[in-house]
Structures are given as structure tokens and as C-alpha cells.
Amino acid sequence: MVERTPNGVAAVEDSYTFQVDLRGIVDLLSHHLYSSPRVYLRELLQNAVDAVTARAQRDRLAPTAIRIVIDETGLRISDPGVGLTEADVHRFLATIGRSSKRDDIEGARREFLGQFGIGLLACFTVAEQIRVVTRSADDPAAAPVEWLAAADGTYSVRLLEPEEFPEPGTTVQLTPRVGAESWFGARRVIELAREYGSLLPYAVTVESDGLIVPVTDGPPVWHRDYPSAMERREALLEFGERTLGFDPLDVIDLDAELAGVSGVAYVLAQPGNPAESSAHRVYLKGMLLGDAVRGLLPDWAFFVRCVIDTDSLRPTASREGLYEDERLAIIREVLGDRVRDWLTEIAAEQPQRLAAFLAVHSLGVKAMSTHSPELFRIMLPHLSFETTDGRVSLTDFARKHPVIRVTSSVEEFRQVASTAAAQGIGIVNGGYAYDRELVASLPQLMPGVEVIDLDTDTITAALDPVDPAEELALTPVLSIARAVLDPLSCDVIVRAFHPVSVPALYLDGRGARNERTRAETALGANELWSEILGALDAAAPRAQLVLNYHSPVVRRLARIGDPAFLKTAVESLYGQALLMTHRPLRAADTALLNRAFGEFLSWATQRAAGTGEETE
């Protein structure tokens, strides 16, 4: 091509055509696009089904049976489909990336499996040579055509006599590659054909050594008629166990024909992992797309596995996954609604099924409820939460405690639960996944109920003050206790509360925890960060050790005359109270506990020796 430059000088620009290394393309397909050479059979079935579908659109009486034959030469698959003319062969079989489905029948693409025009190349992952013999049903006068391709990228085309291939259709014959013969064994071919094609709408058979094995199994199990709903349920559960490899807890119909999806969802019999999206078995117009397809359901539905057939979703280029687009997003929402509807139905009508489900998947229901206030309203009487009244539903808890306090962590709940329960304060453990968020939404469903964050001042205020004279008698104890615990950023007060079995209560709000974290960070920081963090040290809130005057242990502290031993006793009460919170101990706290334990052991040993007992 000749162009003129700005100075008027003619410039010559050459055009070139990309050169394609077929062996490199095959390597790309086998190692990067397709997960396994096993997909070669799926691609053969796909092309045969598309050809039969195309012919059926023109002639409803045309034959549709697809035959796979295995012999000593390899494998051949024959279909009575639409076939190709010589021009079609050059256009579609010898041009990588071109698809007859894309170019000629775009308006009816939902009827076809193939979209990308590269499927036949997958056969080169197991075959050294591909021979295609085809005759067009659209042009009866056109001669049959033979297309012969080798893995090195060469191919030949020749016309045949009409009597050599008298009927319209196509036969594809594969000659095994050295080292790939195992992919052409009768047992493996039958296994692959059944795996990929059992739900296809056309009869498919595999023939080997005179034995004809049917592959297709009629309509999907969820589309079949049964004498009763119970028999249908049993059939669906049996299908799920056989297909997915686990015994389902329950089954959910996913009828969404308007969205182009049908199938069933199976409820796991064991808790699922919320952090891992579910893997589903997906068929595309009866052809297996994959048995570990993700992204089909909302993330909250991690407790189910689906088996579906669709004619509306787009596969990826490898046809082993789904293309993430608006259509998939809509269907994901529709299927999520089906799961919610099922749960709503059994909650209202089948309490035994609901109880069995919640015994395993209460976490999944809570996850769903955060997305659906209406579902939360329905499930509210059935979901249990950890509270100061035990594990109860929020509806029962709210009737007794119109003001509900919720903790931010499991540790915060544990440190106050027994004491708060004895004082009649209603607290919900908000430290578990979804619980805090759900409790916060309770006022929207139950007017008159108030939900507030737990404040340790609320607990302190609910504890009974001690008579001034009695508190005065504990002044030496309090003085030593405050001196001992001041370096640990902990104040000491005395109150009277139940249960008496708790001699001391450790309370620290979020402010105190944040301050402790700041101080610990400052210790290990460089000079600049220590200065910055030190500037944040103001009159920050501190933790509190609340001594229980009702406890005999605390009352006996005043009788200890030895200041060193009293210090050890205070450290022990502090350590015990800290352990009751079930939180990780700081290095300073661990050292304190070890020191107190050692002092007590030494005291006990000396006392035993003083009474004449032998010690070692």
C-alpha cells in the first residue's frame, strides 16, 4: 500500500497475515484453556448436537440420533445434522476462531452450545489426525466433502462421490496420538459421554465390540413425573447423592424457567464455609459445563450445592465456567430468591424440617437474614443467640429485656455474663458472625425494643455499693491493690454483687482496650512513633478490677497482715478475673500470674515444713 508523507514523499506500507503455529495453539488449549484432555469428547458431542439442532430447525422430521463408535483405528462420531458444503469447510473448519453459530445464526444462539469456533482444536490434545466427512442438508446437490487435518497444522480437502456419503450429516474420526491411547478406551469413552451428555435432548449411543451402550438418560430428574411428591423428593435426593457425592440434608426446587434455568439445590448435611463460595454442577442445554462452577448463587447461600440446566447463561471460552455479566447477576438473584422462598415455606409449614436445617445451618440463615429483613422477620422466633439468659430467640429475650445491650466481642460478653445475669441486665453476645448486625436491626421488627452497645459503666452502676464503714475496713487492701495494678492500667473498686462465687470482676470498655493497645504499640515503636503515640496519652479510660464484697475470699483479705502476701493475693484475684474473660494474656499479665503462683507455692511449702510435714 502506498501513502503520501507530509513532505510529499511516497512511502510504502506492507501488510502481512498472522502466522499461526497449530502445535503452539494445541499446547495453549491443553495446558491453559482446558482443564483436561477429557474435554475433547465434550467438544465432539457439542458439534454434533449443534448440527442436529440446526437441521431440526429446518426440518422437524429429520433424524437426531448421534452415534459414537470405538474400534482399533480410534473413535468416530456421526450425526445426521445440517452438514457442511465445501465452502463451509474452508470457512469454518480451517479458520481458527470462526463459528457458524456466531456468524450465521446469531438470532438463535440460545439453541446452540458452541460459541467460539475453537472446539474442534481440543481434539488435537489426544489425536494426531482429524478426519471430517460431511454432506450438507441445506444443499442436497452439493457433493460430500472430506477434510483431513494433522496436528502439525496442515490439512487437505477433497470432494467425494455422492454414494460414498449418501445421507446429510457429519462424521468426525480421530486417530489417537502416541501416548494418548487411553483416552480412546471403551470404558473411558462411555464414562465421559455419560458425564457430559446424559441430559442431552437427543439419543446418544456408544458402540464398541458389537455392544451398544445408551448415554442419554431422558429428561432431567427434576422434570420427570412421579406418582407422589414423596417419591419425587426421594428421587431427587438419590440423584443428588449419586451426582454430587454426598447425602443431602434437604432438596430445594430451583424452577426459574422464565430466566432460562431449571434444576435443584441440595442442602449440605454439614456446616458450609462462609468464606468459600459454593461449587455447582451446571449443564448448558443438557451438556455438562462443569461440576465445580462458582458464582451461580449469592455468597450467603454457601450451604447449598446446585445441579442446574440453563439455556441463557454464557460460558467462558473453555466452556468450563460462566461468563460474569448482567445476565448471570440477574439469575444469581433469582436463584437466591428461590432458596429464601424455600426457607420461608418450611418455617411456616414444616417446623421439623426447619429444626433439622437450623441444627446445621443457623449461621447460613443469619447470613441470609442480613440481606433480607423480611426473611429475618420470619426466622426471628427460630434463631437462637447467646445471651445472659442462655441460648434463646431474640423474640423471647426482648419480651424480658426491652433494653438489650450487645457486646462487640465474645471476650467482652464472657467477662460480664454471669454478673450481668445475676443483676438482671440483658446482654446479647455480638461477637459471633452476623449476630451484632442482626441484633442492631431488631428495633425495626419489634417496636419498643431498644438496642445499645454494652458500656462497662452500666455493669458497674448496677452493682450494689458497699457500706462506707465496711469499705473503710478494706482501705489497706485497696491501697495495696491499687499500687500493684496501677502499672497495668487497672483501677480497683469494691462493690457487692452476685454470684458470690466470683470474687473479682475485670471490666474494660473499648476505650480502655484501645488505650492498652496504644501503650503496647508505643513500647515497641521507634522514637518518632513513640512520641506520636505518647501524645495520644491523655486521661484515657482504664480497666477496673471490681472486688466482690459478698465473696468470703475478698472479706478475708483484710485479715492478711503480711503486705507481701497481700500483694500476692491481689495479683491472684486479678489473674483469676482476667482468665474469666477468656482473652489472650499480655506478657505482663502472664508474668504476674506466674509470680503469684510461685509465691503461693513457696508459702504453702514453707507452711507445710513449719508443721513438721516432709517436703521435697
Side-chain angles (χ1 to χ4, degrees), residues 432-456:
Y432 296 116
Y434 311 113
D435 284 12
R436 182 177 174 83
E437 185 177 352
L438 292 175
V439 174
S441 66
L442 192 59
Q444 302 172 16
L445 305 180
M446 299 183 68
V449 174
E450 182 182 1
V451 176
I452 58 177
D453 289 338
L454 175 66
D455 185 348
T456 54

Side-chain angles (χ1 to χ4, degrees), residues 363 366-367 369-370 376 380 383-387 391 394 404-413 426-444 450-455 509-510 513:
L363 181 63
K366 289 180 178 180
S369 297
T370 61
F376 187 38
L380 193 56
L383 294 174
S384 64
F385 293 75
E386 186 177 13
T387 75
R391 290 203 68 88
L394 290 181
I404 297 177
R405 291 172 172 83
V406 58
T407 66
S408 60
S409 67
V410 175
E411 291 79 10
E412 187 178 15
F413 176 81
I427 301 176
V428 177
N429 187 350
Y432 296 116
Y434 311 113
D435 284 12
R436 182 177 174 83
E437 185 177 352
L438 292 175
V439 174
S441 66
L442 192 59
Q444 302 172 16
E450 182 182 1
V451 176
I452 58 177
D453 289 338
L454 175 66
D455 185 348
R510 259 162 275 175
R513 290 195 294 274

Side-chain angles (χ1 to χ4, degrees), residues 15 20 24 31 248 251 300 361 380 410 431 445 594 607:
S15 296
V20 177
H31 292 95
V251 60
W300 52 256
H361 295 297
L380 193 56
V410 175
L445 305 180
N594 291 336
R607 187 168 184 272

